[in-house]
Amino acid sequence: MNKTDLLSEGKTKKIYNTKNNFEVIIHYKDNITSFNGKKNELISYKGVLNNEINSCIFKFLNSCGIKTHFIKKINKREQLCHKLKMIPIEFVVRNFICGSLSKRLKIKEGTKITNQITEIFYKNDKLKDPFINDNHAVFLGISSYNELNIIYKIINNINNYLNKYFYKKNIILADFKVEFGKNYKNEIFLSDEISPDTCRLWDKITMKKLDKDPFRKNMINKKEILNIYTEVLERLNKE
Amino acid sequence: MNKTDLLSEGKTKKIYNTKNNFEVIIHYKDNITSFNGKKNELISYKGVLNNEINSCIFKFLNSCGIKTHFIKKINKREQLCHKLKMIPIEFVVRNFICGSLSKRLKIKEGTKITNQITEIFYKNDKLKDPFINDNHAVFLGISSYNELNIIYKIINNINNYLNKYFYKKNIILADFKVEFGKNYKNEIFLSDEISPDTCRLWDKITMKKLDKDPFRKNMINKKEILNIYTEVLERLNKE
């Protein structure tokens, strides 16, 4: 499982081919980004923490029977994963009102959503990742109705599993973003990452934000964000 | 069926109660509006044309077995309709890319959509009628999943019937907006209006716009828009 060539590089990760055609190595960089990459900074060691956190969460989801890209963590910054063709859609799953939705619907942040809101966004930098619906996705040729229905079912399961998982760690999963890809057999796998970069996590008692949000809003500095990510990791590692 | 009191007044219509608790009279005003009412002008006689055009279209849909609010035209400006509790959602049905969607997805106006795109917008002036999905609608308490599924099926039928109807009149139905309401038995009825105010209609041969769009864009004057609406009415009346 040695790296061969660089397959692609995103804002926070590099993906390398391996000698096995069906596997890639994902390397976590130290970048932290927000506002679609407009804010992009380096925080030394953040990639190490994110690799570790993601490994915990994906290992857990694998154990629940969710098909994920994660095979194993191979070193501090890298994971071995199934090679997938990504579906260019961000699936945002909301259990509580926050962020952009709070502004759009003028509803107070922290309002509980009882029917789980799932939103889809077309991953396209030129269009600034617009909010779309299933009809748009099919028209754009980026997914099919059948594929979307399968993914929505997987997402419901993921949300149920993760809610319980985080709750045991005294964390409320307010919302999160997931992405999916397909392997050579066209099977759908959860891919990308699930971490404080892509979730809103709140302490169950104090409601302290345990995610990227306070950094995005310039409310805390680099050292504080590292402390938060470290705290999340410690909670996940505690039995 | 005499009018009693004014029940409500919108941008282009007034609704009156009648002595029959289950029926209302809808009065078409001469207003023409666009950009969520920011542009609002009077065009003498426009209400008469719109009442006539809407009567034609709703009579046709009634004959197809679609449940609509329309009972009968009672005079130049007024219709007798079933009294409904409106669902505050605008359903936009697209057969061709145009307007806001063209801008949002950077796709050329006039591109054919083969899978019929239906979008829903929350009718709320304060929020500027935001684009939402079914999850939002249910969370907001403005509809249920079951109700939305029933409406989507009705919309597919309406789109099929109207496409054929207009095509026979040498008109392409590029897109249109519909609204629904429920009667005292909670049965869903097509309501509001279907006219050149709420549809994009293109001449089949010349692609001339037979709707409000050129007026909205200040490309034609009041007299020209009346001519266009008159032309649409003449085509609908031709066997």
Side-chain angles (χ1 to χ4, degrees):
Chain A
M1 54 186 169
N2 290 330
K3 287 182 271 188
T4 54
D5 53 315
L6 181 69
L7 179 62
S8 67
E9 178 161 1
K11 290 168 195 134
T12 60
K13 293 186 281 291
K14 287 182 195 175
I15 300 176
Y16 293 94
N17 278 316
T18 66
K19 281 175 190 160
N20 181 330
N21 280 334
F22 307 116
E23 292 174 359
V24 290
I25 287 172
I26 297 184
H27 175 102
Y28 282 80
K29 304 195 290 183
D30 280 337
N31 299 67
I32 187 162
T33 68
S34 46
F35 307 112
N36 277 338
K38 270 184 212 158
K39 184 173 171 177
N40 188 337
E41 296 187 45
L42 279 176
I43 301 183
S44 173
Y45 199 68
K46 187 233 165 202
V48 175
L49 286 169
N50 250 21
N51 182 30
E52 184 67 30
I53 292 172
N54 271 293
S55 296
C56 283
I57 294 173
F58 275 76
K59 215 181 282 178
F60 165 72
L61 288 173
N62 278 343
S63 77
C64 296
I66 302 286
K67 275 188 192 168
T68 85
H69 70 166
F70 181 80
I71 299 169
K72 63 178 178 185
K73 181 166 171 261
I74 48 181
N75 63 47
K76 276 195 162 187
R77 290 194 177 268
E78 291 175 334
Q79 300 173 357
L80 185 68
C81 292
H82 297 293
K83 186 173 184 170
L84 304 173
K85 191 176 182 302
M86 294 302 289
I87 298 164
I89 295 177
E90 292 191 345
F91 295 82
V92 172
V93 185
R94 300 179 182 273
N95 299 312
F96 287 85
I97 294 284
C98 31
S100 61
L101 190 61
S102 165
K103 279 178 208 140
R104 244 158 48 82
L105 301 183
K106 290 206 169 84
I107 293 176
K108 210 182 145 211
E109 282 217 336
T111 305
K112 174 96 185 108
I113 298 163
T114 50
N115 64 315
Q116 184 193 307
I117 291 175
T118 305
E119 298 167 346
I120 63 173
F121 296 83
Y122 176 25
K123 270 182 79 108
N124 183 310
D125 284 340
K126 236 166 74 182
L127 302 180
K128 295 179 186 164
D129 300 349
F131 169 45
I132 58 170
N133 69 24
D134 293 8
N135 296 152
H136 299 124
V138 172
F139 168 71
L140 291 163
I142 56 180
S143 194
S144 68
Y145 292 116
N146 181 45
E147 196 171 275
L148 287 167
N149 285 335
I150 292 169
I151 291 174
Y152 289 135
K153 279 182 195 151
I154 299 172
I155 282 178
N156 289 351
N157 288 333
I158 292 172
N159 192 27
N160 283 335
Y161 289 128
L162 286 185
N163 264 305
K164 286 176 202 153
Y165 175 72
F166 281 114
Y167 204 75
K168 274 190 197 160
K169 320 287 184 185
N170 292 320
I171 293 172
I172 290 168
L173 177 61
D175 63 20
F176 62 101
K177 185 263 291 179
V178 279
E179 298 180 27
F180 294 83
K182 289 179 281 187
N183 72 356
Y184 64 101
K185 287 195 235 168
N186 261 335
E187 292 168 321
I188 295 167
F189 283 71
L190 174 67
S191 183
D192 195 53
E193 65 172 293
I194 299 179
S195 75
D197 272 14
T198 63
C199 302
R200 282 195 178 87
L201 303 171
W202 301 337
D203 181 88
K204 198 168 81 179
I205 310 294
T206 64
M207 299 301 275
K208 181 187 165 189
K209 291 183 175 179
L210 303 171
D211 54 50
K212 190 171 73 168
D213 229 16
F215 184 77
R216 191 190 276 137
K217 293 174 180 164
N218 295 315
M219 288 162 69
I220 60 172
N221 62 30
K222 290 182 182 182
K223 196 177 160 241
E224 288 166 306
I225 195 77
L226 271 189
N227 287 342
I228 284 179
Y229 280 47
T230 305
E231 186 182 339
V232 170
L233 179 59
E234 280 171 2
R235 291 205 199 184
L236 298 191
N237 277 332
K238 224 179 248 170
E239 273 314 300
Chain B
M1 59 186 166
N2 290 330
K3 288 183 269 189
T4 55
D5 52 314
L6 181 69
L7 177 64
S8 67
E9 179 162 2
K11 289 168 196 134
T12 59
K13 292 186 281 293
K14 287 182 194 175
I15 301 176
Y16 293 94
N17 278 316
T18 66
K19 282 174 190 159
N20 181 331
N21 279 334
F22 306 115
E23 293 174 359
V24 290
I25 286 173
I26 297 184
H27 175 103
Y28 282 80
K29 304 195 291 184
D30 280 337
N31 299 66
I32 187 162
T33 69
S34 48
F35 306 113
N36 276 339
K38 268 183 213 159
K39 184 173 171 178
N40 187 338
E41 295 187 45
L42 279 175
I43 302 183
S44 175
Y45 200 67
K46 187 234 164 200
V48 173
L49 286 169
N50 251 19
N51 181 31
E52 184 68 30
I53 292 171
N54 271 293
S55 296
C56 283
I57 294 173
F58 275 76
K59 214 182 280 177
F60 165 72
L61 288 173
N62 278 342
S63 78
C64 296
I66 303 285
K67 276 188 192 166
T68 84
H69 71 166
F70 180 81
I71 299 170
K72 62 177 176 183
K73 181 166 173 261
I74 50 180
N75 62 47
K76 277 195 161 185
R77 290 194 177 269
E78 292 175 333
Q79 301 173 358
L80 185 69
C81 291
H82 297 294
K83 186 172 183 170
L84 304 174
K85 189 175 183 302
M86 294 301 290
I87 298 164
I89 295 176
E90 292 191 347
F91 295 82
V92 173
V93 185
R94 300 179 182 273
N95 299 312
F96 287 84
I97 295 282
C98 30
S100 60
L101 190 61
S102 165
K103 279 176 208 141
R104 244 159 47 80
L105 300 184
K106 290 207 170 84
I107 293 175
K108 212 182 146 212
E109 283 216 337
T111 305
K112 175 94 184 108
I113 299 163
T114 51
N115 64 315
Q116 183 193 305
I117 291 176
T118 305
E119 297 167 346
I120 64 174
F121 296 84
Y122 176 25
K123 270 182 80 108
N124 184 310
D125 284 340
K126 236 167 71 184
L127 302 180
K128 295 179 186 164
D129 301 349
F131 168 44
I132 58 171
N133 69 24
D134 293 9
N135 297 153
H136 299 123
V138 172
F139 168 71
L140 291 164
I142 56 179
S143 194
S144 67
Y145 292 116
N146 182 43
E147 196 170 276
L148 288 166
N149 285 334
I150 292 170
I151 291 174
Y152 289 134
K153 279 183 194 149
I154 299 172
I155 281 177
N156 289 350
N157 288 333
I158 292 172
N159 193 26
N160 283 335
Y161 289 129
L162 286 186
N163 264 305
K164 285 176 202 152
Y165 176 73
F166 281 112
Y167 204 75
K168 273 190 196 161
K169 319 288 184 185
N170 290 319
I171 294 172
I172 289 168
L173 177 61
D175 64 20
F176 62 100
K177 185 262 293 179
V178 279
E179 297 180 26
F180 294 84
K182 289 179 280 187
N183 71 358
Y184 63 102
K185 287 195 237 168
N186 262 335
E187 292 168 321
I188 295 166
F189 282 71
L190 174 67
S191 183
D192 195 54
E193 65 171 294
I194 298 178
S195 74
D197 272 14
T198 63
C199 301
R200 282 196 177 85
L201 304 170
W202 301 337
D203 180 88
K204 198 168 80 179
I205 310 296
T206 64
M207 299 301 274
K208 181 186 164 189
K209 292 185 174 177
L210 301 171
D211 54 48
K212 190 170 73 168
D213 229 16
F215 184 77
R216 191 190 277 139
K217 293 175 181 162
N218 294 315
M219 289 162 69
I220 59 171
N221 62 28
K222 290 183 182 182
K223 198 178 159 240
E224 288 167 308
I225 194 78
L226 272 189
N227 286 342
I228 284 178
Y229 280 48
T230 304
E231 185 182 339
V232 170
L233 178 59
E234 281 170 2
R235 291 206 199 183
L236 298 191
N237 277 330
K238 226 180 248 170
E239 274 312 302

